[in-house]
Amino acid sequence: ETGVTQSPTHLIKTRGQQVTLRCSSQSGHNTVSWYQQALGQGPQFIFQYYREEENGRGNFPPRFSGLQFPNYSSELNVNALELDDSALYLCASSLVSTSTDTQYFGPGTRLTVL
Amino acid sequence: QQQVKQSPQSLIVQKGGISIINCAYENTAFDYFPWYQQFPGKGPALLIAIRPDVSEKKEGRFTISFNKSAKQFSLHIMDSQPGDSATYFCAPEAKKTDADSWGKFQFGAGTQVVVTP
């Protein structure tokens, strides 16, 4: 088990609503990345935060936004939920200063949009 | 555009057999080549990774082979066990000095491996 935790485990929302997902990074890690994983697909990169700044972003609309806090925990916010947003949302933390680039994933939050 | 192509999509292998999964990439800025293993209901976990300065890395029953000129790397699972039944993803990463590519991770579509007893 990694030291990355996510909450909640499961969530059900209706179309048009807003949702906030939370991630607590592994101790000492300064970077967090968020991914969306649809059923049977590989994780799709949403964005990465490094020292509280967005460092990279995948092909996701602006209604997907995030925050990283001074303690390196993180939030993913999704506005105006659509049915296609139903997926497993994963966060992964890493320590950029090392050479290993290893990402440690949390167990994910399963979001269902009705 | 699809910069990372993984094959096959699924694989069934008998216990004791060899599983081989391939990953082809386009971005020459990639310089870290990991394979992740994911079990149902869990997040992916790093299985094994290689840097481009070596062509092969072995850890127990798992081996990565890297072909820089062909822009491909593969995962070999020797003596496959039922506990290896999982989905495997390649997810190459770019150099930190490459401002255009670093921090934009791409996973392959995944290979579901089933090891039969």
Side-chain angles (χ1 to χ4, degrees):
Chain A
E1 294 291 328
T2 70
V4 180
T5 60
Q6 292 185 245
S7 62
T9 305
H10 297 87
L11 200 54
I12 299 174
K13 291 286 190 177
T14 56
R15 194 171 49 184
Q17 285 189 310
Q18 179 266 343
V19 69
T20 297
L21 309 182
R22 293 178 174 84
C23 173
S24 178
S25 299
Q26 185 155 316
S27 178
H29 285 183
N30 56 13
T31 303
V32 65
S33 301
W34 284 92
Y35 295 83
Q36 179 194 68
Q37 186 175 25
L39 202 60
Q41 302 294 318
Q44 297 295 311
F45 175 66
I46 302 175
F47 43 57
Q48 181 190 66
Y49 278 81
Y50 171 58
R51 293 182 176 175
E52 303 175 54
E53 299 277 338
E54 186 178 295
N55 178 65
R57 190 176 183 94
N59 295 323
F60 281 82
R63 60 188 185 85
F64 286 78
S65 63
L67 282 172
Q68 186 182 32
F69 300 102
N71 67 354
Y72 301 131
S73 64
S74 177
E75 286 183 356
L76 164 66
N77 299 290
V78 187
N79 294 322
L81 283 167
E82 300 177 0
L83 298 180
D84 285 348
D85 295 334
S86 295
L88 179 69
Y89 288 85
L90 297 160
C91 78
S93 73
S94 60
L95 180 58
V96 170
S97 64
T98 69
S99 61
T100 60
D101 296 316
T102 299
Q103 294 190 79
Y104 295 87
F105 283 84
T109 293
R110 173 71 62 188
L111 173 64
T112 302
V113 182
L114 303 175
Chain B
Q1 68 280 19
Q2 179 79 321
Q3 289 197 23
V4 179
K5 293 184 179 179
Q6 188 175 334
S7 61
Q9 186 175 3
S10 63
L11 190 56
I12 299 175
V13 61
Q14 284 192 329
K15 180 181 175 181
I18 301 173
S19 304
I20 302 174
I21 307 170
N22 299 299
C23 186
Y25 62 94
E26 297 176 6
N27 190 346
T28 55
F30 291 147
D31 80 334
Y32 179 65
F33 302 90
W35 285 96
Y36 288 86
Q37 180 188 56
Q38 185 177 28
F39 293 105
K42 302 285 188 181
L46 178 69
L47 182 64
I48 186 171
I50 198 169
R51 293 281 185 188
D53 53 341
V54 295
S55 60
E56 187 174 283
K57 181 177 180 179
K58 184 176 180 180
E59 290 184 357
R61 297 183 294 107
F62 302 94
T63 300
I64 290 184
S65 295
F66 177 70
N67 186 330
K68 187 174 181 178
S69 61
K71 291 189 285 186
Q72 291 182 356
F73 62 111
S74 61
L75 174 67
H76 296 233
I77 306 174
M78 314 299 286
D79 187 26
S80 296
Q81 299 297 311
D84 297 332
S85 296
T87 302
Y88 294 81
F89 297 97
C90 63
E93 297 180 20
K95 303 179 183 70
K96 295 181 182 61
T97 54
D98 189 310
D100 289 334
S101 298
W102 183 55
K104 300 174 185 175
F105 301 107
Q106 292 196 359
F107 274 67
T111 297
Q112 185 174 19
V113 173
V114 175
V115 182
T116 59

